[in-house]
Amino acid sequence: QHFDLAGFELACGHALPAGATLAYKVHGPPVGASKGVILHPTSFDAVHDELEYSIGEGQTLDTSAYTVVVPNLLGNGVSYSPSRMRHAERLAGYPPLLSIGDNVRAQHLLLEHLHAARGAPMAPLSLVYGYSMGALQAYEWAVAHPDHVERIAAVCGAARCGELNGVFLRSIEEALKADAAWDASRGHFTTRPDRGLRAFGSIYAGWGVGAGWYTQRGYASAGFECAEAFVRDSYLPAFANCDADDLLSQIRTWRHADVSRHTGGDLAAA
């Protein structure tokens, strides 16, 4: 399903164009007809149907008791993204930043809409559950809307992008832009950067799993003969068909995540 975001004001000052949407999926009872609502925002390059392994009756996010709403990250290719723009819009340029704060504000509007459609009062979320970039959004919910969240579960995430994380993001961004398909003057790719995507996946494979996955041969338990086979058959195909402009949009979102902007840069206060 898609929630209309036409005219939505971004923190960078841009307004989203007609046709811009927040894609989402609702699992379990309708909003207002369950014990509460769990929000499960997506992570980097993930879409809603890839998170369904943890959703259902008796699962981690239990739909026998709760309504689970899964909103897609802006820029992920399903919600408003470079790849979903009309050609003329893409040539004219893309907003410089779709922030974590923008995502959370859009999600808040979506939840208000879902409650209003059912004639149900807007109640605090029972839980915001997020992994990686989903965790960035969970922290943003807790700081930006403390009265609307009872608890968060932030898995493999942080309240802001740290320096080491920033180095990683710079490395994968530069790998993409090193491809000849990158048009620096226009700020987007002219064709699919196949070599850049391969380099992107190769670098990501060194960061996306813990060191023990390689040093303790964790890949073997997953059915891979060697580390090289894991990278070749897992990470490289995972990114091979991605829209590179979508990836850059999500990298910018990730890099600028910081809940301390609500408290003048004081993370402890946030």
Side-chain angles (χ1 to χ4, degrees):
Q1 294 176 281
H2 290 265
F3 176 62
D4 185 15
L5 287 178
F8 178 79
E9 292 282 346
L10 301 172
C12 67
H14 287 236
L16 295 187
T21 66
L22 174 64
Y24 68 98
K25 186 170 183 179
V26 178
H27 299 265
V31 168
S34 65
K35 187 176 179 180
V37 175
I38 295 174
L39 191 73
H40 186 16
T42 60
S43 55
F44 184 81
D45 198 41
V47 297
H48 57 277
D49 57 0
E50 295 172 335
L51 306 185
E52 293 182 355
Y53 65 90
S54 64
I55 302 170
E57 293 190 5
Q59 298 298 314
T60 302
L61 306 182
D62 190 357
T63 54
S64 66
Y66 294 93
T67 303
V68 179
V69 180
V70 183
N72 285 269
L73 185 73
L74 297 173
N76 79 340
V78 181
S79 289
Y80 175 73
S81 308
S83 63
R84 298 186 66 85
M85 295 171 67
R86 293 188 292 270
H87 182 65
E89 292 175 339
R90 200 161 181 172
L91 289 177
Y94 186 69
L97 177 64
L98 298 170
S99 71
I100 291 293
D102 292 329
N103 276 272
V104 168
R105 287 190 299 109
Q107 292 162 17
H108 193 278
L109 290 174
L110 166 65
L111 292 169
E112 288 181 335
H113 166 75
L114 293 176
H115 281 85
R118 293 283 301 173
M122 182 78 168
L125 290 165
S126 298
L127 172 69
V128 181
Y129 176 85
Y131 167 80
S132 185
M133 285 190 78
L136 295 175
Q137 295 167 77
Y139 279 116
E140 177 70 17
W141 264 100
V143 174
H145 302 285
D147 295 334
H148 293 170
V149 185
E150 292 182 350
R151 60 187 69 84
I152 69 171
V155 181
C156 193
R160 69 179 174 192
C161 180
E163 291 184 333
L164 179 60
N165 206 184
V167 169
F168 158 62
L169 295 175
R170 179 179 176 82
S171 70
I172 55 176
E173 178 179 10
E174 291 302 316
L176 280 178
K177 290 182 176 180
D179 194 288
W182 172 248
D183 186 339
S185 64
R186 294 184 175 181
H188 65 80
F189 292 91
T190 55
T191 59
R192 184 185 301 279
D194 292 324
R195 293 181 66 183
L197 288 166
R198 184 175 181 84
F200 180 101
S202 297
I203 296 170
Y204 211 116
W207 294 75
V209 292
W213 182 260
Y214 297 108
T215 60
Q216 299 175 29
R217 293 176 51 83
Y219 54 79
S221 64
F224 296 96
E225 181 181 356
C226 60
E228 180 65 26
F230 168 69
V231 175
R232 182 192 67 231
D233 299 334
S234 178
Y235 270 83
L236 296 190
F239 291 111
N241 295 314
C242 288
D243 185 286
D245 288 310
D246 287 354
L247 294 177
L248 287 183
S249 175
Q250 293 171 84
I251 288 171
R252 287 192 291 269
T253 301
W254 187 342
R255 179 187 292 122
H256 287 88
D258 185 357
V259 298
S260 73
R261 75 183 192 285
H262 295 287
T263 55
D266 188 336
L267 185 61

